[in-house]
Amino acid sequence: MTDYDDTRLGRARVADTPELKAYYDELATLDAGALWTVANDIEPWYPQPQSVPVLWRYRDLRPLVHKALPLVRADDAGRRVVMLVNPGRKDVSAAVGLLYTGLQIMGPGEAMTAHRHQAAALRFVHEGTGAWTIVDGQKLKVGPRDFAITPNGTWHEHGNESDDAPVIWQDGLDIPLVNALDAGFYEVHPELNQVPGEVVNSSVLSYGGNLLPYGMEKWTRPYSPVFGYPWEPTYQALLNLAKASEGSPYDGVIMEYTNPLTGGSVMPTMGAHIQLLRPGQATKAHRHTGSVIYTAAKGKGVSVIAGQRFEWQQGDIFCVPSWAWHEHRNLDASEDACLFSFNDFPVMRSLSFSREEAYADNGGHQPVQPDGH
Ligand code: GTQ
């Protein structure tokens, strides 16, 4: 890593004197301040995330998520969610950067009321087969490892139609981003519930086999017309790509869940990927602007993030702060491992903030901190 030195020419280096302190106090009385007292902090040489890398183990969280089931009624809580809070971002309830994530549990037969908000949401199912959601009148059923979106401003309500098993799914939202931009709105559905159309999973049925429905009303919204991405075809697509391509040196065999009309991200603020690490595969380290929340969808592995080692297995969730070096390894010699992830890359792209760098030294691998996790 490059060493930066704030004493270089062009950086603020003004020592406090009694006269200056008095001057700063005087400025403060007018709600003003001297730039040079904060310049080096507010214009860092490179990103300085408040977030730290964190691994949340599913086997540790799961009993506590279950504990919430009898403790609060879903509709009293609004949503019964255990959120994952980055130690450096408690102020904004973010899991990393300006992204929120949490584990939502719904008991057998439970159904919640509908609301909509400025924040966009996505779901990745951990367990249970009875989950459904109604998004802008479209009922969608989702099972383990399915991915679904709830674009910003869409009415949504969820439930679990199983008669014996709870559902646990992971929510991902851009709540901290929306709040950082002072753009949050929230509304409860006037009827409390939507009346869904008759066809379940209609958007999944409409867009298949690399074909677009023809002769229908043109979709003009800024998000994917497909609201659900079932696991089976997703995993098959990864296996097929693995036959056709080496994949990325940094991410293995990786694909983006896309809006089929644009080939771009599923929503304007959040994108999502699914990636496969071949048995024993170790990727090289890179870093980029943008924050990522990963969920181990299959298998077990280890990721080195900013020099810290995190071992994960199916269900575990971990985060990579913006500009942190990271690399992944599949720890199984015979099975593939899959990582689901979501990110704020669409925001970075829209604002021309995207940057990426390969880790050049040591064959592309970071030294691991001796006191690493
Ligand atoms: O499902 O509507 O985890 O509005 C946080 C806020 C879930 C939801 C969350 C939400 C939702």
Side-chain angles (χ1 to χ4, degrees), residues 79 81 100 104 115 117 123 156 158 171 173 175 186:
R79 301 289 190 250
V81 182
Y100 157 104
Q104 175 157 183
H115 65 208
H117 36 67
R123 329 281 168 190
H156 55 285
H158 324 301
D171 294 316
L173 289 97
I175 290 172
Y186 188 102

Side-chain angles (χ1 to χ4, degrees), residues 227-251:
F227 290 176
Y229 297 77
W231 171 251
E232 281 309 325
T234 301
Y235 182 54
Q236 193 56 51
L238 278 178
L239 293 176
N240 290 343
L241 178 59
K243 286 180 200 156
S245 161
E246 266 305 299
S248 146
Y250 310 109
D251 288 303

Side-chain angles (χ1 to χ4, degrees), residues 12-37:
R13 49 202 166 100
V14 178
D16 276 352
T17 61
E19 290 81 359
L20 276 171
K21 280 188 179 158
Y23 174 63
Y24 299 151
D25 290 345
E26 220 177 328
L27 284 175
T29 65
L30 299 182
D31 295 319
L35 170 65
W36 61 87
T37 62

Side-chain angles (χ1 to χ4, degrees), residues 77 84 86 168 187 190 257 283 299 319:
L84 310 187
N86 196 288
I168 298 179
E187 269 176 276
Y257 294 91
T283 67
C319 68

Side-chain angles (χ1 to χ4, degrees), residues 119-137:
L122 54 83
R123 329 281 168 190
F124 186 77
V125 182
H126 281 252
E127 58 181 278
T129 53
W132 55 264
T133 176
I134 303 171
V135 179
D136 262 357

Side-chain angles (χ1 to χ4, degrees), residues 238 241-242 245-255 273-278 281-286 294 326-330 337 339:
L238 278 178
L241 178 59
S245 161
E246 266 305 299
S248 146
Y250 310 109
D251 288 303
V253 180
I254 181 162
M255 303 182 91
H273 291 102
I274 188 76
Q275 72 195 83
L276 178 147
L277 303 169
R278 295 184 169 91
Q281 180 175 8
T283 67
K284 291 186 172 184
H286 75 157
Y294 289 88
H326 56 284
E327 60 196 277
H328 312 292
R329 180 189 296 270
N330 180 349
L339 291 169

Side-chain angles (χ1 to χ4, degrees), residues 22 37 54 86 111 141 167 180 223 232 251 284 339 345 349 362:
T37 62
V54 184
N86 196 288
K141 289 194 196 178
V167 160
Y223 48 79
E232 281 309 325
D251 288 303
K284 291 186 172 184
L339 291 169
F345 298 168
R349 278 196 296 269
N362 196 29

